Amino acid sequence: SQTIHQWPATLVQPVGSPLSLECTVEGTSNPNLYWYRQAAGRGLQLLFYSVGIGQISSEVPQNLSASRPQDRQFILSSKKLLLSDSGFYLCAWRGGTGGQGVTEAFFGQGTRLTVV
Amino acid sequence: AQSVTQPDIHITVSEGASLELRCNYSYGATPYLFWYVQSPGQGLQLLLKYFSGDTLVQGIKGFEAEFKRSQSSFNLRKPSVHWSDAAEYFCAVGRHSGNTPLVFGKGTRLSVIA
């Protein structure tokens, strides 16, 4: 079966420090991968998505970047965090082979990032 | 453009009462529709999905949803709410192809009182 791992679960970082959040998927190949951010009362904001290795689409210009160095690995990064980067970050996957035509998205458990 | 509207930001119901959460969508083609639930500090869990066929779909935890094409709605219902149903609920729409992201509504927070 397919699983998605996201870490760390919580993170407190000072303003101006770098960020690296990692997400990996198991049990499927060539998944479509997504990073969402969730701010209180604002629903899910799509940040980045990737349909393959090295292919990144950015939905919102901001202080963050994403990379997909391997088929089932998706990384969210920042060189210098801002206070406004605080939030709950969710990784998700959809589609892919081995998922038998999976069309719903599956989510990781999220990372609570607090920038201080 | 695709969009999802959940008109109710916050709903409070009594335990044992019925529940209906509203969802309206805007979509140019046949939509694939989903309802997700999120407990505090957790990821999203799929409750149910609609692709085609019977417009009334059953999901986990006793939830059901009805697709009404004429009203562009996909409302979530439960006949008797339990205290453990208190959570945030998200409606989403997408295409069949997994290459495109799902579009989510802003969510409805459900509180359950005794």
Side-chain angles (χ1 to χ4, degrees), chain A residues 32 34 38 94 103 105 109, chain B residues 36 38 42 51 95 98 100:
Chain A
N32 300 294
Y34 309 95
Q38 190 175 20
R94 187 179 180 221
T103 55
Q109 289 301 296
Chain B
Y36 286 84
Q38 183 184 32
Q42 300 295 312
F51 295 154
R95 292 168 55 184
T100 57

Side-chain angles (χ1 to χ4, degrees), chain B residues 53-70:
Chain B
D54 192 347
T55 57
L56 184 64
V57 294
Q58 303 297 319
I60 62 172
K61 305 184 179 185
F63 285 92
E64 65 178 27
E66 186 172 13
F67 171 61
K68 293 185 177 180
R69 184 185 299 275
S70 62

Side-chain angles (χ1 to χ4, degrees), chain A residues 84-97:
Chain A
S84 57
D85 291 325
S86 294
F88 191 56
Y89 289 82
L90 288 159
C91 180
W93 74 273
R94 187 179 180 221
T97 58

